[in-house]
């Protein structure tokens, strides 16, 4: 299987935003926290929504992206 190696995330050197649906029932929210802890210069946003917050909550996701970039 092809599993994500959390340690490889430490190699990411660019500004990164992580947007995660608060009610994601496919990938546990704990992964969002692990990603954030592993990626330097990252920001984590937990938004209302499920596995696809860009569909569930497009206004908030768009605002985050516009504000950050």
């Amino acid at each position: 299987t092809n599993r994500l190696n959390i340690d490889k995330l430490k190699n990411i050197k660019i500004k990164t935003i992580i947007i995660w649906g608060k009610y994601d029932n496919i990938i546990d929210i704990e992964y969002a926290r692990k990603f954030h802890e592993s990626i330097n210069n990252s920001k984590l946003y937990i938004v209302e929504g499920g596995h696809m917050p860009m569909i569930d909550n497009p206004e908030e996701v768009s605002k985050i992206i516009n504000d950050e970039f």
Side-chain angles (χ1 to χ4, degrees):
T1 60
N2 240 348
R3 300 268 182 212
L4 178 62
N5 183 336
I6 297 285
D7 290 332
K8 288 186 176 186
L9 296 175
K10 295 176 181 174
N11 294 325
I12 298 174
K13 305 296 182 200
I14 60 172
K15 179 179 181 176
T16 303
I17 58 172
I18 302 162
I19 303 173
W20 210 274
K22 182 189 271 186
Y23 306 109
D24 187 337
N25 61 359
I26 296 174
I27 302 175
D28 192 276
I29 199 167
E30 187 58 33
Y31 280 94
R33 293 182 181 98
K34 288 179 183 179
F35 294 170
H36 176 56
E37 291 170 4
S38 298
I39 301 171
N40 288 328
N41 200 25
S42 70
K43 289 187 180 179
L44 173 60
Y45 294 90
I46 307 295
V47 300
E48 294 295 318
H51 184 66
M52 297 178 59
M54 69 296 240
I55 303 296
D56 299 333
N57 195 344
E59 295 84 11
E60 187 172 2
V61 171
S62 293
K63 183 176 183 341
I64 290 168
I65 292 169
N66 286 330
D67 289 350
E68 288 295 333
F69 295 103

